[in-house]
Amino acid sequence: MPNRQLLLLRHAKAVIGDGMQDIDRPLAPRGEEAAQTMGRYMAEHGLAPDLVLCSMARRTSQTWEIASHELPPAQVRHIEALYDFGDGGALLDVIRQQGGQAQRLLLVTHNPATQHLALSLAGAGNPLQRRQLLEKYPTAGLAVLSAPGRWQDLAEGQCRLEAFIRPRDLA
């Protein structure tokens, strides 16, 4: 079975939530720009997902909505369990349960769970990018991991970090 690709996109910069529920925070203008930039990057580098699993938060939905304008249509599922700020275990469970037959799976999620998941899965890859990933997973950051086998069998250390793209790298 050929390697699958897992794309981990942290939501873009959101407004500060003065008086609103965290889940309802929209993107800031800077976040809207970054989401468009990341969508363009994904299109230019052949990273169009087959399946998108997105947190229920407004900022994650908006990030994908803006980025997707640059890409072919994909199936999208909004999943409550992805509104997670923990150690990435809930995200891994969602991948195993919902990944299905997708060859290229995109998660649009939150930190620190996104960073923890990327670090736990990436058993190999570019040392500089692995160090950047360890230091900070910025808003609208995108990790591209190659994953062997089936999603339901995905385990820590199995993936290779193919790329870690930060919006500032594309400015």
Side-chain angles (χ1 to χ4, degrees):
M1 171 179 283
N3 276 356
R4 298 174 190 271
Q5 274 189 321
L6 176 62
L7 310 176
L8 300 175
L9 179 62
R10 182 180 174 200
H11 67 79
K13 182 76 174 166
V15 301
I16 296 177
D18 292 335
M20 73 176 77
Q21 296 287 326
D22 179 72
I23 200 165
D24 296 326
R25 292 174 42 218
L27 292 183
R30 183 177 117 202
E32 292 174 358
E33 279 183 41
Q36 184 177 19
T37 297
M38 296 313 285
R40 191 174 315 114
Y41 176 89
M42 291 170 67
E44 290 170 356
H45 290 85
L47 297 173
D50 304 317
L51 175 61
V52 178
L53 304 178
C54 188
S55 158
M56 303 290 286
R58 183 173 176 191
R59 59 191 178 275
T60 54
S61 296
Q62 286 183 313
T63 298
W64 172 244
E65 182 182 324
I66 292 168
S68 71
H69 290 292
E70 307 288 334
L71 296 158
Q75 181 184 5
V76 179
R77 294 185 201 141
H78 290 87
I79 299 174
E80 194 171 330
L82 294 178
Y83 184 65
D84 179 65
F85 303 91
D87 65 3
L91 278 56
L92 182 56
D93 289 344
V94 169
I95 292 167
R96 289 175 178 154
Q97 295 164 11
Q98 302 278 334
Q101 298 303 311
Q103 279 300 115
R104 188 173 294 121
L105 176 63
L106 170 65
L107 268 66
V108 188
T109 52
H110 308 270
N111 247 12
T114 306
Q115 182 178 26
H116 289 311
L117 179 64
L119 288 169
S120 73
L121 291 176
N126 177 304
L128 172 63
Q129 290 183 330
R130 287 169 53 99
R131 193 166 44 256
Q132 290 171 339
L133 179 63
L134 181 62
E135 289 169 7
K136 184 177 182 184
Y137 206 117
T139 52
L142 175 70
V144 180
L145 299 129
S146 61
R150 304 175 315 163
W151 295 121
Q152 55 261 43
D153 301 326
L154 188 63
E156 291 185 11
Q158 276 189 336
C159 298
R160 176 178 183 78
L161 180 65
E162 300 294 340
F164 181 55
I165 305 95
R166 304 168 300 180
R168 74 176 189 197
D169 298 332
L170 304 177

PDB file of all heavy atoms in Angstrom, residues 52-57 60-62 64 76-80 82:
ATOM      1  N   VAL A  52     -11.317  16.308   4.580  1.00  0.00           N
ATOM      2  CA  VAL A  52     -10.961  17.327   5.565  1.00  0.00           C
ATOM      3  C   VAL A  52     -11.765  17.052   6.828  1.00  0.00           C
ATOM      4  O   VAL A  52     -12.991  16.958   6.786  1.00  0.00           O
ATOM      5  CB  VAL A  52     -11.290  18.748   5.038  1.00  0.00           C
ATOM      6  CG1 VAL A  52     -10.952  19.796   6.088  1.00  0.00           C
ATOM      7  CG2 VAL A  52     -10.570  19.019   3.729  1.00  0.00           C
ATOM      8  N   LEU A  53     -11.042  16.923   7.937  1.00  0.00           N
ATOM      9  CA  LEU A  53     -11.669  16.772   9.249  1.00  0.00           C
ATOM     10  C   LEU A  53     -11.365  18.051  10.001  1.00  0.00           C
ATOM     11  O   LEU A  53     -10.198  18.381  10.244  1.00  0.00           O
ATOM     12  CB  LEU A  53     -11.110  15.549   9.980  1.00  0.00           C
ATOM     13  CG  LEU A  53     -11.234  14.216   9.230  1.00  0.00           C
ATOM     14  CD1 LEU A  53     -10.599  13.086  10.031  1.00  0.00           C
ATOM     15  CD2 LEU A  53     -12.679  13.903   8.896  1.00  0.00           C
ATOM     16  N   CYS A  54     -12.411  18.776  10.354  1.00  0.00           N
ATOM     17  CA  CYS A  54     -12.275  20.132  10.875  1.00  0.00           C
ATOM     18  C   CYS A  54     -12.948  20.245  12.243  1.00  0.00           C
ATOM     19  O   CYS A  54     -14.038  19.718  12.450  1.00  0.00           O
ATOM     20  CB  CYS A  54     -12.923  21.096   9.882  1.00  0.00           C
ATOM     21  SG  CYS A  54     -12.675  22.833  10.228  1.00  0.00           S
ATOM     22  N   SER A  55     -12.282  20.961  13.137  1.00  0.00           N
ATOM     23  CA  SER A  55     -12.869  21.279  14.434  1.00  0.00           C
ATOM     24  C   SER A  55     -14.172  22.063  14.222  1.00  0.00           C
ATOM     25  O   SER A  55     -14.384  22.678  13.185  1.00  0.00           O
ATOM     26  CB  SER A  55     -11.869  22.113  15.234  1.00  0.00           C
ATOM     27  OG  SER A  55     -12.492  22.857  16.242  1.00  0.00           O
ATOM     28  N   MET A  56     -15.006  22.066  15.237  1.00  0.00           N
ATOM     29  CA  MET A  56     -16.279  22.785  15.180  1.00  0.00           C
ATOM     30  C   MET A  56     -16.123  24.294  15.391  1.00  0.00           C
ATOM     31  O   MET A  56     -17.082  25.042  15.223  1.00  0.00           O
ATOM     32  CB  MET A  56     -17.225  22.248  16.267  1.00  0.00           C
ATOM     33  CG  MET A  56     -17.504  20.767  16.187  1.00  0.00           C
ATOM     34  SD  MET A  56     -18.509  20.316  14.781  1.00  0.00           S
ATOM     35  CE  MET A  56     -20.102  20.906  15.334  1.00  0.00           C
ATOM     36  N   ALA A  57     -14.947  24.748  15.771  1.00  0.00           N
ATOM     37  CA  ALA A  57     -14.739  26.164  16.057  1.00  0.00           C
ATOM     38  C   ALA A  57     -14.862  27.007  14.788  1.00  0.00           C
ATOM     39  O   ALA A  57     -14.482  26.582  13.698  1.00  0.00           O
ATOM     40  CB  ALA A  57     -13.371  26.388  16.686  1.00  0.00           C
ATOM     41  N   THR A  60     -11.540  27.581  12.815  1.00  0.00           N
ATOM     42  CA  THR A  60     -11.042  26.479  11.990  1.00  0.00           C
ATOM     43  C   THR A  60     -11.872  26.358  10.715  1.00  0.00           C
ATOM     44  O   THR A  60     -11.329  26.159   9.632  1.00  0.00           O
ATOM     45  CB  THR A  60     -11.054  25.143  12.767  1.00  0.00           C
ATOM     46  OG1 THR A  60     -12.358  24.912  13.291  1.00  0.00           O
ATOM     47  CG2 THR A  60     -10.019  25.126  13.867  1.00  0.00           C
ATOM     48  N   SER A  61     -13.183  26.496  10.851  1.00  0.00           N
ATOM     49  CA  SER A  61     -14.051  26.444   9.659  1.00  0.00           C
ATOM     50  C   SER A  61     -13.701  27.545   8.679  1.00  0.00           C
ATOM     51  O   SER A  61     -13.639  27.314   7.464  1.00  0.00           O
ATOM     52  CB  SER A  61     -15.518  26.569  10.071  1.00  0.00           C
ATOM     53  OG  SER A  61     -15.913  25.480  10.862  1.00  0.00           O
ATOM     54  N   GLN A  62     -13.469  28.750   9.194  1.00  0.00           N
ATOM     55  CA  GLN A  62     -13.108  29.868   8.316  1.00  0.00           C
ATOM     56  C   GLN A  62     -11.747  29.644   7.671  1.00  0.00           C
ATOM     57  O   GLN A  62     -11.556  29.977   6.497  1.00  0.00           O
ATOM     58  CB  GLN A  62     -13.095  31.183   9.092  1.00  0.00           C
ATOM     59  CG  GLN A  62     -14.471  31.709   9.422  1.00  0.00           C
ATOM     60  CD  GLN A  62     -14.381  33.057  10.132  1.00  0.00           C
ATOM     61  OE1 GLN A  62     -13.602  33.230  11.073  1.00  0.00           O
ATOM     62  NE2 GLN A  62     -15.170  34.009   9.660  1.00  0.00           N
ATOM     63  N   TRP A  64     -10.356  26.801   6.823  1.00  0.00           N
ATOM     64  CA  TRP A  64     -10.515  25.867   5.710  1.00  0.00           C
ATOM     65  C   TRP A  64     -11.320  26.502   4.572  1.00  0.00           C
ATOM     66  O   TRP A  64     -10.987  26.354   3.409  1.00  0.00           O
ATOM     67  CB  TRP A  64     -11.154  24.548   6.133  1.00  0.00           C
ATOM     68  CG  TRP A  64     -11.454  23.727   4.915  1.00  0.00           C
ATOM     69  CD1 TRP A  64     -12.666  23.338   4.466  1.00  0.00           C
ATOM     70  CD2 TRP A  64     -10.502  23.264   3.951  1.00  0.00           C
ATOM     71  NE1 TRP A  64     -12.537  22.658   3.277  1.00  0.00           N
ATOM     72  CE2 TRP A  64     -11.205  22.608   2.937  1.00  0.00           C
ATOM     73  CE3 TRP A  64      -9.114  23.366   3.830  1.00  0.00           C
ATOM     74  CZ2 TRP A  64     -10.587  22.023   1.836  1.00  0.00           C
ATOM     75  CZ3 TRP A  64      -8.491  22.791   2.724  1.00  0.00           C
ATOM     76  CH2 TRP A  64      -9.228  22.125   1.747  1.00  0.00           C
ATOM     77  N   VAL A  76     -15.803  17.365   3.539  1.00  0.00           N
ATOM     78  CA  VAL A  76     -15.474  18.011   4.806  1.00  0.00           C
ATOM     79  C   VAL A  76     -16.399  17.481   5.894  1.00  0.00           C
ATOM     80  O   VAL A  76     -17.609  17.403   5.702  1.00  0.00           O
ATOM     81  CB  VAL A  76     -15.636  19.552   4.714  1.00  0.00           C
ATOM     82  CG1 VAL A  76     -15.305  20.209   6.044  1.00  0.00           C
ATOM     83  CG2 VAL A  76     -14.781  20.124   3.592  1.00  0.00           C
ATOM     84  N   ARG A  77     -15.802  17.125   7.041  1.00  0.00           N
ATOM     85  CA  ARG A  77     -16.578  16.724   8.218  1.00  0.00           C
ATOM     86  C   ARG A  77     -16.144  17.594   9.388  1.00  0.00           C
ATOM     87  O   ARG A  77     -14.946  17.693   9.671  1.00  0.00           O
ATOM     88  CB  ARG A  77     -16.324  15.260   8.576  1.00  0.00           C
ATOM     89  CG  ARG A  77     -16.808  14.274   7.564  1.00  0.00           C
ATOM     90  CD  ARG A  77     -16.615  12.850   8.070  1.00  0.00           C
ATOM     91  NE  ARG A  77     -16.615  11.938   6.946  1.00  0.00           N
ATOM     92  CZ  ARG A  77     -15.831  10.879   6.831  1.00  0.00           C
ATOM     93  NH1 ARG A  77     -15.000  10.562   7.795  1.00  0.00           N
ATOM     94  NH2 ARG A  77     -15.899  10.113   5.772  1.00  0.00           N
ATOM     95  N   HIS A  78     -17.114  18.195  10.052  1.00  0.00           N
ATOM     96  CA  HIS A  78     -16.847  18.962  11.274  1.00  0.00           C
ATOM     97  C   HIS A  78     -17.058  18.020  12.454  1.00  0.00           C
ATOM     98  O   HIS A  78     -18.135  17.426  12.586  1.00  0.00           O
ATOM     99  CB  HIS A  78     -17.757  20.186  11.350  1.00  0.00           C
ATOM    100  CG  HIS A  78     -17.402  21.207  10.331  1.00  0.00           C
ATOM    101  ND1 HIS A  78     -17.903  21.192   9.045  1.00  0.00           N
ATOM    102  CD2 HIS A  78     -16.557  22.250  10.394  1.00  0.00           C
ATOM    103  CE1 HIS A  78     -17.395  22.205   8.371  1.00  0.00           C
ATOM    104  NE2 HIS A  78     -16.571  22.862   9.158  1.00  0.00           N
ATOM    105  N   ILE A  79     -16.019  17.893  13.278  1.00  0.00           N
ATOM    106  CA  ILE A  79     -16.022  16.883  14.329  1.00  0.00           C
ATOM    107  C   ILE A  79     -15.740  17.531  15.676  1.00  0.00           C
ATOM    108  O   ILE A  79     -14.703  18.184  15.863  1.00  0.00           O
ATOM    109  CB  ILE A  79     -14.984  15.785  14.012  1.00  0.00           C
ATOM    110  CG1 ILE A  79     -15.365  15.123  12.677  1.00  0.00           C
ATOM    111  CG2 ILE A  79     -14.892  14.775  15.138  1.00  0.00           C
ATOM    112  CD1 ILE A  79     -14.381  14.135  12.163  1.00  0.00           C
ATOM    113  N   GLU A  80     -16.671  17.333  16.589  1.00  0.00           N
ATOM    114  CA  GLU A  80     -16.591  17.952  17.912  1.00  0.00           C
ATOM    115  C   GLU A  80     -15.306  17.585  18.648  1.00  0.00           C
ATOM    116  O   GLU A  80     -14.689  18.421  19.311  1.00  0.00           O
ATOM    117  CB  GLU A  80     -17.811  17.533  18.729  1.00  0.00           C
ATOM    118  CG  GLU A  80     -18.015  18.356  19.964  1.00  0.00           C
ATOM    119  CD  GLU A  80     -19.350  18.054  20.636  1.00  0.00           C
ATOM    120  OE1 GLU A  80     -20.324  17.693  19.955  1.00  0.00           O
ATOM    121  OE2 GLU A  80     -19.393  18.211  21.867  1.00  0.00           O
ATOM    122  N   LEU A  82     -12.405  17.268  17.659  1.00  0.00           N
ATOM    123  CA  LEU A  82     -11.221  18.007  17.192  1.00  0.00           C
ATOM    124  C   LEU A  82     -11.099  19.376  17.854  1.00  0.00           C
ATOM    125  O   LEU A  82     -10.071  20.036  17.711  1.00  0.00           O
ATOM    126  CB  LEU A  82     -11.234  18.159  15.667  1.00  0.00           C
ATOM    127  CG  LEU A  82     -11.091  16.853  14.892  1.00  0.00           C
ATOM    128  CD1 LEU A  82     -11.159  17.125  13.386  1.00  0.00           C
ATOM    129  CD2 LEU A  82      -9.819  16.110  15.263  1.00  0.00           C
TER     130      LEU A  82
END
